[in-house]
């Protein structure tokens, strides 16, 4: 990837390999989106749940923490401190003994380009941050931000008001399995609707903070708000895939961040005219939706296909092409559909 920042991702392996083989450099996410690449991209599978082992991984680069070394579950402790009347210290067993809940939500990296791959959807189980903060008797008068610190010295914060919403989870299970170490074992934060940067992994400390805290990426100039922008992607057919036959099926995902998706539209004529896609009902308001569209091309040729979504508040996806830094990318995912025979 470009060196304009240094997020490190495992999910690049598949796509970057292809880009590298083609001798291309530049952005590695969102291959086949707006770089006008001439090589074919295979279609992607569209599944509602992302398997743990296929779930993207992003860590900051200069991490002294080696994720291949386990944070030992019997040694790990979580401290709750700062502007609280009753500081807490919790071990693994105490964590598991607490009341917990389950939630399906999509996690998305701020570094994702239009059509990119750094997002996944999972079923998470964990404890309520709000209940933990209440138990610690957080001072709601003096506290402005809740700060989370990972064992890798990564840190970020969310405003107290956001932290006290019921959907904020400290998760220890992912798709029914113990949270994998690369995804933050033993405990990670999940704030639905906020970019990955806020979803701190390997948490060892939670601090109620009296000021406006600037976390790792904010100190490097990135957003503190981190609200996810509406995103949509064409998974199949692939960019420049050769299509044969009178009926073609398009399929992909759309994600509204803090809001759900109310509409997905596709254009087969370079964003001049648009037609509605069918949306599969999601299992959660915090997760992406899957969309489908059946197309009957009238003649052979190359078609420029784009997708766009509208969120449940009626706000359309931003079509303007903007790079991820500092507040997340926008722009429509566009592919070439190459109809060879009808
Ligand atoms: N402790 C810690 N938490 C972190 C990070 C990190 O480097 N260290 N990276 C963040 C970023 S940028 C993203 S996109 C998500 C990625 O979570 P995942 O690797 O489980 O997909 O974790 C976030 N939480
Ligand atoms: Mo990220």
């Amino acid at each position: 990837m470009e060196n304009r920042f240094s997020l490190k991702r495992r999910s690049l392996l598949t796509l970057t390999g292809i880009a590298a083989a083609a001798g291309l450099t530049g952005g590695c996410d969102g291959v086949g989106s707006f770089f006008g690449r001439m090589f074919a991209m295979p279609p992607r599978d569209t599944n509602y749940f992302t398997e743990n082992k296929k779930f993207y991984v992003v860590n900051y680069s200069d991490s002294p923490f080696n994720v291949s070394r386990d944070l030992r579950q019997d040694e790990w402790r979580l401290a709750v401190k700062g502007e609280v009347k009753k500081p807490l210290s919790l071990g693994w067993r105490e964590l598991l003994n607490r009341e917990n809940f389950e939630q399906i939500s999509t996690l998305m990296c701020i570094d994702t380009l239009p059509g990119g791959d750094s997002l996944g959807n999972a079923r998470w189980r964990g404890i309520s941050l709000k209940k933990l903060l209440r138990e610690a008797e957080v001072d709601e008068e003096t506290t402005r931000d809740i700060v989370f610190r990972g064992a890798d010295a990564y840190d970020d914060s969310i405003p107290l008001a956001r932290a006290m919403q019921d959907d904020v989870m400290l998760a220890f299970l992912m798709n029914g399995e113990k949270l994998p170490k690369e995804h933050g074992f033993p405990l990670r934060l999940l704030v639905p609707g906020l970019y990955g940067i806020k979803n701190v992994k390997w948490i060892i400390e939670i601090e109620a903070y009296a000021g406006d805290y600037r976390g790792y990426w904010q100190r490097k100039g990135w957003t503190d708000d981190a609200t996810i922008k509406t995103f949509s992607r064409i998974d199949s057919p692939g960019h420049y895939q050769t299509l044969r036959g009178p009926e073609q099926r398009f399929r992909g995902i759309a994600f509204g961040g803090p809001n759900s998706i109310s509409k997905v539209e596709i254009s087969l004529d370079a964003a001049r005219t648009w037609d509605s896609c069918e949306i599969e009902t999601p299992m959660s308001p915090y997760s992406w939706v899957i969309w489908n569209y059946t197309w009957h091309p009238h003649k052979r040729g190359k078609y420029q296909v784009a997708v766009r979504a509208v969120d449940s508040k009626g706000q359309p996806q931003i079509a303007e092409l903007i790079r991820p830094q500092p507040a997340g990318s926008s722009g429509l995912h566009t592919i070439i559909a190459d109809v060879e025979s009808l």
Side-chain angles (χ1 to χ4, degrees):
M1 71 187 292
E2 286 180 15
N3 285 329
R4 61 183 187 270
F5 41 76
S6 50
L7 302 179
K8 280 209 167 155
R9 59 187 72 221
R10 182 188 65 182
S11 61
L12 274 180
L13 290 176
T14 41
L15 284 175
T16 316
I18 297 163
L24 290 160
T25 53
C28 288
D29 202 351
V31 172
S33 57
F34 55 82
F35 298 104
R37 289 184 167 142
M38 296 302 289
F39 57 92
M41 287 296 302
R44 285 176 273 205
D45 284 336
T46 309
N47 298 307
Y48 186 63
F49 288 109
T50 312
E51 283 173 56
N52 289 358
K53 60 180 194 303
K54 291 189 179 154
F55 206 99
Y56 83 96
V57 173
V58 174
N59 299 325
Y60 77 109
S61 63
D62 44 344
S63 167
F65 179 70
N66 177 7
V67 285
S68 66
R69 190 203 70 198
D70 270 314
L71 257 187
R72 285 197 43 197
Q73 130 183 345
D74 50 346
E75 286 170 5
W76 172 84
R77 289 202 80 80
L78 169 69
V80 183
K81 58 177 228 183
E83 302 290 311
V84 297
K85 280 209 193 75
K86 293 185 178 156
L88 303 174
S89 172
L90 234 78
W92 175 250
R93 215 160 276 279
E94 290 143 293
L95 177 74
L96 295 190
N97 283 337
R98 290 183 70 88
E99 184 194 332
N100 58 57
F101 69 108
E102 195 174 77
Q103 193 161 271
I104 296 166
S105 63
T106 297
L107 184 66
M108 176 173 175
C109 183
I110 193 165
D111 199 22
T112 314
L113 293 175
D117 284 289
S118 297
L119 69 168
N121 189 48
R123 185 190 299 274
W124 311 91
R125 184 173 281 282
I127 64 168
S128 157
L129 174 66
K130 173 182 164 179
K131 287 185 179 155
L132 190 69
L133 291 173
R134 283 268 154 81
E135 193 176 309
E137 293 184 24
V138 62
D139 187 334
E140 301 197 35
E141 296 299 314
T142 56
T143 303
R144 180 157 169 200
D145 276 355
I146 302 295
V147 181
F148 304 84
R149 294 194 178 85
D152 57 345
Y154 180 89
D155 57 353
D156 211 331
S157 69
I158 55 173
L160 175 70
R162 187 71 189 84
M164 296 308 264
Q165 285 177 24
D166 291 321
D167 59 357
V168 184
M169 176 188 280
L170 292 163
F172 52 81
L173 292 187
M174 179 178 186
N175 291 322
E177 292 167 20
K178 200 152 84 172
L179 194 64
K181 55 189 164 194
E182 62 272 28
H183 295 296
F185 178 84
L187 196 64
R188 80 166 308 158
L189 182 66
L190 287 169
V191 196
L194 296 190
Y195 282 120
I197 49 174
K198 297 283 168 185
N199 295 249
V200 179
K201 304 192 275 191
W202 310 297
I203 297 179
I204 51 171
E205 199 173 275
I206 297 176
E207 182 184 346
Y209 188 77
D212 178 11
Y213 191 83
R214 298 175 60 74
Y216 181 83
W217 286 112
Q218 284 91 57
R219 298 193 291 272
K220 295 194 182 304
W222 291 72
T223 175
D224 192 16
D225 173 66
T227 303
I228 295 174
K229 294 175 185 168
T230 296
F231 171 93
S232 59
R233 186 177 82 192
I234 303 163
D235 288 341
S236 54
H239 181 53
Y240 269 107
Q241 188 187 334
T242 304
L243 305 178
R244 297 179 190 88
E247 181 170 292
Q248 297 298 331
R249 287 173 190 277
F250 287 85
R251 183 170 163 86
I253 54 165
F255 181 44
N259 302 305
S260 199
I261 291 290
S262 63
K263 188 154 85 174
V264 178
E265 292 178 308
I266 193 168
S267 171
L268 296 141
D269 57 4
R272 277 186 284 274
T273 62
W274 296 87
D275 203 3
S276 288
C277 303
E278 270 167 40
I279 297 174
E280 295 180 13
T281 310
M283 294 161 81
S284 155
Y286 307 117
S287 83
W288 64 28
V289 300
I290 293 175
W291 60 264
N292 294 283
Y293 184 80
T294 305
W295 180 45
H296 299 230
H298 293 298
K299 56 176 199 287
R300 299 172 10 170
K302 292 182 174 59
Y303 293 79
Q304 195 175 316
V305 186
V307 66
R308 70 182 185 190
V310 177
D311 74 13
S312 50
K313 289 217 171 116
Q315 304 170 100
Q317 183 177 347
I318 301 165
E320 188 193 351
L321 201 54
I322 291 177
R323 54 155 48 198
Q325 193 169 24
S329 75
S330 63
L332 305 185
H333 184 210
T334 302
I335 66 161
I336 299 295
D338 187 357
V339 181
E340 194 186 76
S341 61
L342 297 178

